Amino acid sequence: MPRVSEPGDDEAADVGDWRQRGRARRRRRTVERRRQAHQLALLALEGPWDRADLTARLVRGSRLDDDDARHLTARLHERFPDAPPDDPGRVAAAILALPPLPVRTLPGSVEAPVEPMPVWRWPVPHWRTLGDCAEALDVDVGELQWFADTRGWNRRAGAALRHYRYRWVPTRSGGVRLLEQPKPRLAELQRRVTRHVLAALPVHDAAHGFRPGRSAATCAEPHAGRSFVVRLDLEGFFAAVSAARVRALLRLAGYPPAVAAAVAGLLTTTAPADVLSAAPNTRDRESRRRLLRRLAAPHLPQGAPSSPAVANTVAQRLDLRLAGLAAALGARYTRYADDLVFSGDADLPLHRLLPGVRLITGDEGFPLRDSKTSVAAAHQRQRVAGLVVNASPAVPREDYDALRAILHNCVRTGPAAQNRDGHPDFRAHLLGRIAWVGATHPRRAARLRALFARISW
């Protein structure tokens, strides 16, 4: 028998519907705030952490007005006085803890306009979606996201499932370096990104490492015959390049946030905890601690085929500022990977050059390794990128003599007896050393090649 509705049933149903709709609205607002906080966090991490740049980035990339952007910048600086780790989730949580900004000013709100078309600043391929990116790299979207690892699963996976192989190696200065070698499929994706995207990005003329037509010899040549040669070394060059900086570079090129995040994920990685815990001890504990902290965050891996090109492009502003400082002080400047070289006449103001370099490198996120700084006058041996530049760039005489002695002994006793370091391809190793001599001294190289031709292989 159907139930006869009592007076007040409709009113109770209306109240129940109203409460359900209220809960749904609150859930939608919560989800929207979290999404918006994540977008603001990505914007905040896409560039320098100083107040002016951060405020301008928030205004440009969201619907925040100037006052709201300045307020958010101030609160973020209170929470993170120094640049925060490249962890959008942590920054988003800090934003969520703040009082909510007006809905009309939040990025991606209902009133937000349609996102404008990308502005392509360099001749890069126009990948507007993850599908475009995946198709160009000859993978599907799922594989792209797997290799990009934007959720950071790689650092928690077992060795068999990781995208990289890891090996700690000692450095000549007594420190350690982590070689992070990508496995074949990821390495091929990185090479494709290098050919399609990175080759189109600008690099400063002062950069000589890892560039076609450039070499250690071209890096050293501008400093030949100068009264003073100043060499400085950047600490943890590749590890100092964070994923946030790579994303910011790709966003500047014109890529939408999702594409920039995926491509940056292909080019960067985070070292697993067990790899970090296996790091050898060093004499400089503070330097080791800084290195481990950088490796624990998403960074540029030393060992990936794409890392040199990324580092050169990210360092363009560093090179621009250092070249400007050198020009202002009457000096010359070149860079080969993490080696900075300045040279000048007898009146070179070192008391202004050295503090200026330290200020610029620190401001650009590339701290100096103090133990590697050297100043050589004309009466001392001046070396740049392994070459002596007192007169014209050349391999040191003792290196040439040692190589000639090895070749002579190879002729007498055979190459196997001279391969004391166990090179897997000793013949190629010797040819490489001869080519190194020939880059700056063809006549010496010709004499070495004549000795090499007499070796019985």
Side-chain angles (χ1 to χ4, degrees), residues 89-109:
R90 184 175 173 186
V91 178
I95 293 174
L96 283 171
L98 302 176
L101 294 165
V103 173
R104 61 177 178 80
T105 66
L106 289 173
S109 62

Side-chain angles (χ1 to χ4, degrees), residues 17-97:
D17 290 343
W18 176 80
R19 288 175 176 171
Q20 188 172 0
R21 289 194 298 270
R23 287 194 293 268
R25 283 195 299 270
R26 287 193 293 273
R27 283 196 298 269
R28 285 196 297 270
R29 283 197 296 267
T30 300
V31 171
E32 181 68 7
R33 280 207 69 205
R34 288 175 178 169
R35 185 182 67 81
Q36 292 161 346
H38 187 72
Q39 291 177 344
L40 290 171
L42 289 175
L43 280 173
L45 291 171
E46 279 181 354
W49 193 245
D50 61 88
R51 289 177 181 256
D53 282 341
L54 178 53
T55 301
R57 205 157 56 246
L58 291 173
V59 171
R60 185 173 59 250
S62 72
R63 298 195 69 208
L64 293 175
D65 60 27
D66 291 342
D67 290 338
D68 288 332
R70 280 193 293 269
H71 173 74
L72 180 56
T73 296
R75 298 298 297 272
L76 286 174
H77 270 257
E78 291 175 6
R79 177 64 180 83
F80 303 105
D82 300 319
D86 183 28
D87 185 352
R90 184 175 173 186
V91 178
I95 293 174
L96 283 171

Side-chain angles (χ1 to χ4, degrees), residues 14 43 56 74 92 108 118 142 169 188 212 230 292 298 309 356 370 375 384 406 415 431:
D14 290 340
L43 280 173
V169 296
E188 177 56 28
V230 182
L292 294 180
D370 293 330
V375 179
V384 174
I406 290 174
L431 286 173

Side-chain angles (χ1 to χ4, degrees), residues 299-315:
H299 63 277
L300 210 57
Q302 184 165 357
S306 52
S307 290
V310 178
N312 272 341
T313 306
V314 170

